[in-house]
mmCIF file of all heavy atoms in Angstrom:
data_model
loop_
_atom_site.group_PDB
_atom_site.id
_atom_site.type_symbol
_atom_site.label_atom_id
_atom_site.label_comp_id
_atom_site.label_asym_id
_atom_site.label_seq_id
_atom_site.Cartn_x
_atom_site.Cartn_y
_atom_site.Cartn_z
ATOM 1 N N PHE A 1 -7.421 -8.916 -7.603
ATOM 2 C CA PHE A 1 -8.035 -7.865 -6.781
ATOM 3 C C PHE A 1 -8.186 -8.292 -5.320
ATOM 4 O O PHE A 1 -8.103 -7.454 -4.423
ATOM 5 C CB PHE A 1 -9.405 -7.483 -7.343
ATOM 6 C CG PHE A 1 -10.000 -6.277 -6.670
ATOM 7 C CD1 PHE A 1 -9.466 -5.019 -6.892
ATOM 8 C CD2 PHE A 1 -11.061 -6.398 -5.793
ATOM 9 C CE1 PHE A 1 -9.985 -3.901 -6.262
ATOM 10 C CE2 PHE A 1 -11.600 -5.294 -5.165
ATOM 11 C CZ PHE A 1 -11.060 -4.036 -5.406
ATOM 12 N N ASN A 2 -8.388 -9.594 -5.049
ATOM 13 C CA ASN A 2 -8.516 -10.023 -3.644
ATOM 14 C C ASN A 2 -7.202 -9.817 -2.882
ATOM 15 O O ASN A 2 -7.202 -9.523 -1.685
ATOM 16 C CB ASN A 2 -8.955 -11.485 -3.573
ATOM 17 C CG ASN A 2 -8.013 -12.416 -4.310
ATOM 18 O OD1 ASN A 2 -7.321 -12.005 -5.234
ATOM 19 N ND2 ASN A 2 -7.970 -13.671 -3.926
ATOM 20 N N TYR A 3 -6.070 -9.907 -3.567
ATOM 21 C CA TYR A 3 -4.778 -9.627 -2.923
ATOM 22 C C TYR A 3 -4.532 -8.123 -2.816
ATOM 23 O O TYR A 3 -3.807 -7.678 -1.922
ATOM 24 C CB TYR A 3 -3.648 -10.291 -3.706
ATOM 25 C CG TYR A 3 -3.522 -11.772 -3.431
ATOM 26 C CD1 TYR A 3 -4.099 -12.704 -4.279
ATOM 27 C CD2 TYR A 3 -2.841 -12.234 -2.302
ATOM 28 C CE1 TYR A 3 -3.992 -14.070 -4.026
ATOM 29 C CE2 TYR A 3 -2.734 -13.596 -2.039
ATOM 30 C CZ TYR A 3 -3.314 -14.504 -2.903
ATOM 31 O OH TYR A 3 -3.209 -15.843 -2.636
ATOM 32 N N ILE A 4 -5.119 -7.350 -3.711
ATOM 33 C CA ILE A 4 -4.976 -5.895 -3.632
ATOM 34 C C ILE A 4 -5.651 -5.370 -2.363
ATOM 35 O O ILE A 4 -5.151 -4.449 -1.711
ATOM 36 C CB ILE A 4 -5.560 -5.233 -4.899
ATOM 37 C CG1 ILE A 4 -4.608 -5.483 -6.080
ATOM 38 C CG2 ILE A 4 -5.748 -3.731 -4.725
ATOM 39 C CD1 ILE A 4 -5.178 -5.162 -7.416
ATOM 40 N N GLU A 5 -6.803 -5.948 -1.989
ATOM 41 C CA GLU A 5 -7.478 -5.561 -0.745
ATOM 42 C C GLU A 5 -6.561 -5.787 0.460
ATOM 43 O O GLU A 5 -6.420 -4.928 1.332
ATOM 44 C CB GLU A 5 -8.769 -6.362 -0.580
ATOM 45 C CG GLU A 5 -9.829 -6.064 -1.640
ATOM 46 C CD GLU A 5 -11.071 -6.903 -1.445
ATOM 47 O OE1 GLU A 5 -11.287 -7.406 -0.320
ATOM 48 O OE2 GLU A 5 -11.828 -7.078 -2.408
ATOM 49 N N LYS A 6 -5.919 -6.971 0.501
ATOM 50 C CA LYS A 6 -5.006 -7.280 1.608
ATOM 51 C C LYS A 6 -3.801 -6.331 1.589
ATOM 52 O O LYS A 6 -3.350 -5.864 2.640
ATOM 53 C CB LYS A 6 -4.522 -8.725 1.502
ATOM 54 C CG LYS A 6 -5.611 -9.774 1.596
ATOM 55 C CD LYS A 6 -5.024 -11.157 1.390
ATOM 56 C CE LYS A 6 -6.102 -12.227 1.355
ATOM 57 N NZ LYS A 6 -5.528 -13.570 1.075
ATOM 58 N N PHE A 7 -3.295 -6.063 0.386
ATOM 59 C CA PHE A 7 -2.094 -5.238 0.254
ATOM 60 C C PHE A 7 -2.358 -3.799 0.695
ATOM 61 O O PHE A 7 -1.490 -3.157 1.290
ATOM 62 C CB PHE A 7 -1.605 -5.279 -1.193
ATOM 63 C CG PHE A 7 -0.196 -4.800 -1.382
ATOM 64 C CD1 PHE A 7 0.787 -5.131 -0.469
ATOM 65 C CD2 PHE A 7 0.155 -4.016 -2.458
ATOM 66 C CE1 PHE A 7 2.094 -4.694 -0.625
ATOM 67 C CE2 PHE A 7 1.459 -3.574 -2.631
ATOM 68 C CZ PHE A 7 2.430 -3.916 -1.701
ATOM 69 N N LEU A 8 -3.553 -3.275 0.424
ATOM 70 C CA LEU A 8 -3.897 -1.924 0.861
ATOM 71 C C LEU A 8 -3.915 -1.821 2.385
ATOM 72 O O LEU A 8 -3.496 -0.810 2.957
ATOM 73 C CB LEU A 8 -5.251 -1.502 0.282
ATOM 74 C CG LEU A 8 -5.265 -1.121 -1.202
ATOM 75 C CD1 LEU A 8 -6.687 -0.913 -1.684
ATOM 76 C CD2 LEU A 8 -4.444 0.138 -1.457
ATOM 77 N N LEU A 9 -4.396 -2.870 3.064
ATOM 78 C CA LEU A 9 -4.383 -2.896 4.529
ATOM 79 C C LEU A 9 -2.949 -2.868 5.057
ATOM 80 O O LEU A 9 -2.638 -2.175 6.028
ATOM 81 C CB LEU A 9 -5.117 -4.139 5.040
ATOM 82 C CG LEU A 9 -6.637 -4.163 4.827
ATOM 83 C CD1 LEU A 9 -7.181 -5.548 5.108
ATOM 84 C CD2 LEU A 9 -7.311 -3.139 5.729
ATOM 85 N N VAL A 10 -2.068 -3.637 4.391
ATOM 86 C CA VAL A 10 -0.658 -3.665 4.785
ATOM 87 C C VAL A 10 -0.016 -2.289 4.583
ATOM 88 O O VAL A 10 0.715 -1.788 5.443
ATOM 89 C CB VAL A 10 0.095 -4.738 3.973
ATOM 90 C CG1 VAL A 10 1.597 -4.656 4.235
ATOM 91 C CG2 VAL A 10 -0.418 -6.123 4.322
ATOM 92 N N LEU A 11 -0.306 -1.656 3.443
ATOM 93 C CA LEU A 11 0.262 -0.336 3.143
ATOM 94 C C LEU A 11 -0.214 0.714 4.152
ATOM 95 O O LEU A 11 0.543 1.610 4.534
ATOM 96 C CB LEU A 11 -0.117 0.086 1.724
ATOM 97 C CG LEU A 11 0.479 -0.757 0.586
ATOM 98 C CD1 LEU A 11 -0.109 -0.330 -0.752
ATOM 99 C CD2 LEU A 11 1.985 -0.634 0.550
ATOM 100 N N CYS A 12 -1.465 0.603 4.560
ATOM 101 C CA CYS A 12 -2.011 1.532 5.564
ATOM 102 C C CYS A 12 -1.253 1.393 6.888
ATOM 103 O O CYS A 12 -0.903 2.399 7.523
ATOM 104 C CB CYS A 12 -3.497 1.249 5.762
ATOM 105 S SG CYS A 12 -4.323 2.426 6.836
ATOM 106 N N GLU A 13 -0.977 0.158 7.273
ATOM 107 C CA GLU A 13 -0.227 -0.079 8.516
ATOM 108 C C GLU A 13 1.201 0.459 8.411
ATOM 109 O O GLU A 13 1.732 1.036 9.364
ATOM 110 C CB GLU A 13 -0.211 -1.580 8.818
ATOM 111 C CG GLU A 13 0.369 -1.911 10.179
ATOM 112 C CD GLU A 13 0.298 -3.398 10.498
ATOM 113 O OE1 GLU A 13 -0.424 -4.127 9.778
ATOM 114 O OE2 GLU A 13 0.969 -3.828 11.453
ATOM 115 N N LEU A 14 1.826 0.289 7.244
ATOM 116 C CA LEU A 14 3.192 0.792 7.039
ATOM 117 C C LEU A 14 3.238 2.320 7.107
ATOM 118 O O LEU A 14 4.180 2.904 7.654
ATOM 119 C CB LEU A 14 3.725 0.320 5.686
ATOM 120 C CG LEU A 14 4.099 -1.164 5.572
ATOM 121 C CD1 LEU A 14 4.385 -1.529 4.126
ATOM 122 C CD2 LEU A 14 5.309 -1.482 6.438
ATOM 123 N N LEU A 15 2.215 2.974 6.553
ATOM 124 C CA LEU A 15 2.162 4.438 6.608
ATOM 125 C C LEU A 15 1.971 4.934 8.037
ATOM 126 O O LEU A 15 2.539 5.958 8.431
ATOM 127 C CB LEU A 15 1.030 4.949 5.714
ATOM 128 C CG LEU A 15 1.327 5.042 4.218
ATOM 129 C CD1 LEU A 15 0.067 5.399 3.454
ATOM 130 C CD2 LEU A 15 2.412 6.084 3.939
ATOM 131 N N GLU A 16 1.155 4.220 8.803
ATOM 132 C CA GLU A 16 0.949 4.618 10.203
ATOM 133 C C GLU A 16 2.253 4.544 10.992
ATOM 134 O O GLU A 16 2.502 5.357 11.881
ATOM 135 C CB GLU A 16 -0.115 3.718 10.844
ATOM 136 C CG GLU A 16 -1.527 4.022 10.352
ATOM 137 C CD GLU A 16 -2.550 3.034 10.877
ATOM 138 O OE1 GLU A 16 -2.124 2.049 11.533
ATOM 139 O OE2 GLU A 16 -3.756 3.227 10.633
ATOM 140 N N LYS A 17 3.086 3.557 10.655
ATOM 141 C CA LYS A 17 4.372 3.415 11.341
ATOM 142 C C LYS A 17 5.418 4.372 10.779
ATOM 143 O O LYS A 17 6.477 4.560 11.386
ATOM 144 C CB LYS A 17 4.872 1.975 11.206
ATOM 145 C CG LYS A 17 4.030 0.968 11.972
ATOM 146 C CD LYS A 17 4.593 -0.428 11.830
ATOM 147 C CE LYS A 17 3.768 -1.436 12.617
ATOM 148 N NZ LYS A 17 3.908 -1.244 14.078
ATOM 149 N N GLY A 18 5.149 4.948 9.582
ATOM 150 C CA GLY A 18 6.091 5.894 8.983
ATOM 151 C C GLY A 18 7.304 5.241 8.365
ATOM 152 O O GLY A 18 8.369 5.869 8.261
ATOM 153 N N TRP A 19 7.179 3.997 7.915
ATOM 154 C CA TRP A 19 8.293 3.264 7.317
ATOM 155 C C TRP A 19 8.271 3.431 5.796
ATOM 156 O O TRP A 19 7.258 3.150 5.159
ATOM 157 C CB TRP A 19 8.218 1.782 7.660
ATOM 158 C CG TRP A 19 8.420 1.482 9.117
ATOM 159 C CD1 TRP A 19 8.853 2.353 10.078
ATOM 160 C CD2 TRP A 19 8.174 0.235 9.776
ATOM 161 N NE1 TRP A 19 8.898 1.745 11.297
ATOM 162 C CE2 TRP A 19 8.494 0.428 11.145
ATOM 163 C CE3 TRP A 19 7.721 -1.009 9.378
ATOM 164 C CZ2 TRP A 19 8.377 -0.580 12.095
ATOM 165 C CZ3 TRP A 19 7.611 -2.027 10.305
ATOM 166 C CH2 TRP A 19 7.932 -1.809 11.650
ATOM 167 N N GLU A 20 9.404 3.843 5.222
ATOM 168 C CA GLU A 20 9.576 3.948 3.758
ATOM 169 C C GLU A 20 8.357 4.624 3.101
ATOM 170 O O GLU A 20 7.694 4.073 2.228
ATOM 171 C CB GLU A 20 9.809 2.566 3.130
ATOM 172 C CG GLU A 20 11.056 1.881 3.594
ATOM 173 C CD GLU A 20 12.319 2.572 3.140
ATOM 174 O OE1 GLU A 20 12.268 3.313 2.128
ATOM 175 O OE2 GLU A 20 13.364 2.385 3.802
ATOM 176 N N THR A 21 8.090 5.846 3.542
ATOM 177 C CA THR A 21 6.874 6.553 3.104
ATOM 178 C C THR A 21 6.816 6.735 1.585
ATOM 179 O O THR A 21 5.752 6.605 0.976
ATOM 180 C CB THR A 21 6.802 7.933 3.786
ATOM 181 O OG1 THR A 21 6.930 7.759 5.201
ATOM 182 C CG2 THR A 21 5.484 8.618 3.485
ATOM 183 N N GLU A 22 7.961 7.002 0.970
ATOM 184 C CA GLU A 22 7.978 7.287 -0.464
ATOM 185 C C GLU A 22 7.529 6.082 -1.287
ATOM 186 O O GLU A 22 6.667 6.193 -2.164
ATOM 187 C CB GLU A 22 9.388 7.719 -0.878
ATOM 188 C CG GLU A 22 9.456 8.246 -2.302
ATOM 189 C CD GLU A 22 10.834 8.762 -2.644
ATOM 190 O OE1 GLU A 22 11.668 8.909 -1.730
ATOM 191 O OE2 GLU A 22 11.072 9.017 -3.836
ATOM 192 N N ILE A 23 8.097 4.898 -0.993
ATOM 193 C CA ILE A 23 7.733 3.673 -1.737
ATOM 194 C C ILE A 23 6.280 3.304 -1.472
ATOM 195 O O ILE A 23 5.540 2.937 -2.385
ATOM 196 C CB ILE A 23 8.669 2.510 -1.348
ATOM 197 C CG1 ILE A 23 10.114 2.832 -1.721
ATOM 198 C CG2 ILE A 23 8.235 1.213 -2.023
ATOM 199 C CD1 ILE A 23 11.128 1.840 -1.207
ATOM 200 N N VAL A 24 5.877 3.392 -0.205
ATOM 201 C CA VAL A 24 4.511 2.997 0.168
ATOM 202 C C VAL A 24 3.481 3.911 -0.505
ATOM 203 O O VAL A 24 2.473 3.439 -1.045
ATOM 204 C CB VAL A 24 4.350 3.019 1.701
ATOM 205 C CG1 VAL A 24 2.904 2.718 2.087
ATOM 206 C CG2 VAL A 24 5.280 1.998 2.347
ATOM 207 N N CYS A 25 3.739 5.232 -0.497
ATOM 208 C CA CYS A 25 2.806 6.174 -1.150
ATOM 209 C C CYS A 25 2.739 5.917 -2.652
ATOM 210 O O CYS A 25 1.668 6.037 -3.261
ATOM 211 C CB CYS A 25 3.248 7.610 -0.894
ATOM 212 S SG CYS A 25 2.912 8.183 0.774
ATOM 213 N N ARG A 26 3.854 5.565 -3.241
ATOM 214 C CA ARG A 26 3.865 5.247 -4.673
ATOM 215 C C ARG A 26 2.965 4.047 -4.966
ATOM 216 O O ARG A 26 2.192 4.049 -5.934
ATOM 217 C CB ARG A 26 5.309 4.961 -5.096
ATOM 218 C CG ARG A 26 5.474 4.629 -6.571
ATOM 219 C CD ARG A 26 6.928 4.309 -6.864
ATOM 220 N NE ARG A 26 7.089 3.715 -8.175
ATOM 221 C CZ ARG A 26 8.206 3.157 -8.600
ATOM 222 N NH1 ARG A 26 9.269 3.121 -7.826
ATOM 223 N NH2 ARG A 26 8.278 2.626 -9.803
ATOM 224 N N CYS A 27 3.058 2.996 -4.136
ATOM 225 C CA CYS A 27 2.207 1.808 -4.313
ATOM 226 C C CYS A 27 0.732 2.146 -4.136
ATOM 227 O O CYS A 27 -0.116 1.705 -4.912
ATOM 228 C CB CYS A 27 2.617 0.720 -3.327
ATOM 229 S SG CYS A 27 4.253 0.031 -3.597
ATOM 230 N N VAL A 28 0.436 2.939 -3.099
ATOM 231 C CA VAL A 28 -0.962 3.312 -2.823
ATOM 232 C C VAL A 28 -1.540 4.107 -3.986
ATOM 233 O O VAL A 28 -2.654 3.810 -4.464
ATOM 234 C CB VAL A 28 -1.047 4.131 -1.514
ATOM 235 C CG1 VAL A 28 -2.440 4.724 -1.346
ATOM 236 C CG2 VAL A 28 -0.714 3.254 -0.328
ATOM 237 N N HIS A 29 -0.808 5.103 -4.445
ATOM 238 C CA HIS A 29 -1.286 5.951 -5.548
ATOM 239 C C HIS A 29 -1.540 5.121 -6.805
ATOM 240 O O HIS A 29 -2.562 5.291 -7.481
ATOM 241 C CB HIS A 29 -0.271 7.051 -5.827
ATOM 242 C CG HIS A 29 -0.673 7.960 -6.944
ATOM 243 N ND1 HIS A 29 -0.263 7.763 -8.253
ATOM 244 C CD2 HIS A 29 -1.471 9.065 -6.965
ATOM 245 C CE1 HIS A 29 -0.780 8.696 -9.016
ATOM 246 N NE2 HIS A 29 -1.518 9.505 -8.271
ATOM 247 N N PHE A 30 -0.635 4.216 -7.121
ATOM 248 C CA PHE A 30 -0.783 3.411 -8.334
ATOM 249 C C PHE A 30 -1.989 2.465 -8.234
ATOM 250 O O PHE A 30 -2.805 2.379 -9.168
ATOM 251 C CB PHE A 30 0.494 2.597 -8.583
ATOM 252 C CG PHE A 30 0.440 1.770 -9.824
ATOM 253 C CD1 PHE A 30 0.618 2.344 -11.073
ATOM 254 C CD2 PHE A 30 0.194 0.401 -9.766
ATOM 255 C CE1 PHE A 30 0.556 1.578 -12.228
ATOM 256 C CE2 PHE A 30 0.130 -0.369 -10.906
ATOM 257 C CZ PHE A 30 0.317 0.230 -12.141
ATOM 258 N N LEU A 31 -2.124 1.771 -7.113
ATOM 259 C CA LEU A 31 -3.230 0.816 -6.957
ATOM 260 C C LEU A 31 -4.588 1.509 -6.970
ATOM 261 O O LEU A 31 -5.540 1.018 -7.589
ATOM 262 C CB LEU A 31 -3.058 0.021 -5.658
ATOM 263 C CG LEU A 31 -1.899 -0.974 -5.626
ATOM 264 C CD1 LEU A 31 -1.750 -1.568 -4.240
ATOM 265 C CD2 LEU A 31 -2.115 -2.088 -6.646
ATOM 266 N N VAL A 32 -4.674 2.648 -6.301
ATOM 267 C CA VAL A 32 -5.959 3.368 -6.253
ATOM 268 C C VAL A 32 -6.319 3.932 -7.621
ATOM 269 O O VAL A 32 -7.485 3.883 -8.039
ATOM 270 C CB VAL A 32 -5.896 4.502 -5.194
ATOM 271 C CG1 VAL A 32 -7.124 5.381 -5.280
ATOM 272 C CG2 VAL A 32 -5.791 3.905 -3.803
ATOM 273 N N SER A 33 -5.339 4.444 -8.371
ATOM 274 C CA SER A 33 -5.636 5.007 -9.699
ATOM 275 C C SER A 33 -6.003 3.931 -10.707
ATOM 276 O O SER A 33 -6.858 4.147 -11.561
ATOM 277 C CB SER A 33 -4.432 5.806 -10.203
ATOM 278 O OG SER A 33 -3.288 4.976 -10.306
ATOM 279 N N VAL A 34 -5.393 2.752 -10.620
ATOM 280 C CA VAL A 34 -5.672 1.671 -11.581
ATOM 281 C C VAL A 34 -6.995 0.974 -11.262
ATOM 282 O O VAL A 34 -7.798 0.689 -12.149
ATOM 283 C CB VAL A 34 -4.511 0.655 -11.599
ATOM 284 C CG1 VAL A 34 -4.880 -0.579 -12.413
ATOM 285 C CG2 VAL A 34 -3.274 1.296 -12.204
#
């Protein structure tokens, strides 16, 4: 879970830049639901 916190910050930055939105949204949705 401590790496999940870091990974969510990274995913947020990737979404702001608009890079590979589909893969990033998939990761975000899965981590938040689990």
Side-chain angles (χ1 to χ4, degrees):
F1 188 71
N2 57 335
Y3 281 97
I4 287 167
E5 295 179 21
K6 298 176 185 177
F7 196 40
L8 285 172
L9 291 168
V10 172
L11 294 173
C12 186
E13 188 176 347
L14 287 171
L15 279 173
E16 287 174 354
K17 292 181 179 291
W19 293 349
E20 297 293 337
T21 307
E22 189 176 349
I23 298 172
V24 176
C25 285
R26 181 182 168 191
C27 294
V28 170
H29 180 266
F30 181 77
L31 291 173
V32 171
S33 60
V34 171

